[in-house]
Amino acid sequence: MSYVSARFSPESAAELHEFAETLGLPNIVPAKDMHVTVFASQTALPDGIISTTDVEYCCRGRTLKYFGCRHQMLALVLHTPELCRINSLISATSGIKHKHGDYIAHVTLTYDVNTWCGHINTDVPLMDIRKIVVEPFNDDWTSGTNPG
């Protein structure tokens, strides 16, 4: 079981958390836990496909989207061609598909919201991604760790 995520710089994570607060969201993911899922699979990736590495990517949010059963997760969908390329490369090289079907780069802002009637009332911050992390897959997304 494999999980690949992109981690924000501490400054970007703090700005993203502040952005979520301005939206009036409940139960916001702590800044230190905010990340972008790059690839998730209940099948282990073969050795050598990808490893934890430092990177320098920038991304910006595009729209808010509900994920999960009964709209439990609210995420900010991102424009990040680099992470989309990594996801495609992992699938093409390993022959393993992303657990959630079509890949949508996003950062989960809250794991526990059933309805939210707010709107984006401020500029979405430009976010710096500084690390790609490879770790075991955790299917309990309510724990605040992967998947996100």
Side-chain angles (χ1 to χ4, degrees):
M1 300 189 341
S2 299
Y3 187 77
V4 180
S5 65
R7 304 296 169 94
F8 298 106
S9 68
E11 298 81 11
S12 287
E15 288 180 25
L16 189 55
H17 191 273
E18 185 177 312
F19 167 75
E21 287 176 336
T22 67
L23 297 176
L25 296 175
N27 310 310
I28 299 169
V29 173
K32 67 177 182 56
D33 294 331
M34 289 188 168
H35 64 278
V36 182
T37 297
V38 177
F39 191 86
S41 173
Q42 291 187 334
T43 303
L45 290 172
D47 290 340
I49 295 293
I50 190 166
S51 59
T52 297
T53 187
D54 292 333
V55 297
E56 289 190 22
Y57 300 140
C58 286
C59 62
R60 184 172 303 276
R62 293 170 50 176
T63 188
L64 295 170
K65 179 176 175 57
Y66 286 106
F67 288 89
C69 301
R70 301 178 307 279
H71 304 297
Q72 293 172 324
M73 296 169 40
L74 184 65
L76 179 63
V77 176
L78 304 173
H79 175 70
T80 172
E82 296 89 354
L83 298 184
C84 292
R85 277 194 295 274
I86 293 170
N87 174 277
S88 295
L89 183 63
I90 291 170
S91 285
T93 306
S94 69
I96 299 170
K97 299 295 180 203
H98 182 65
K99 180 182 189 303
H100 303 292
D102 291 338
Y103 178 64
I104 300 172
H106 68 278
V107 56
T108 300
L109 302 176
T110 176
Y111 285 99
D112 186 20
V113 62
N114 289 321
T115 59
W116 174 71
C117 298
H119 61 281
I120 296 178
N121 57 4
T122 185
D123 288 334
V124 179
L126 184 64
M127 295 160 276
D128 294 318
I129 294 172
R130 291 293 178 244
K131 187 176 280 286
I132 300 294
V133 178
V134 181
E135 59 191 333
F137 182 78
N138 174 6
D139 207 20
D140 178 15
W141 54 266
T142 61
S143 69
T145 59
N146 71 60

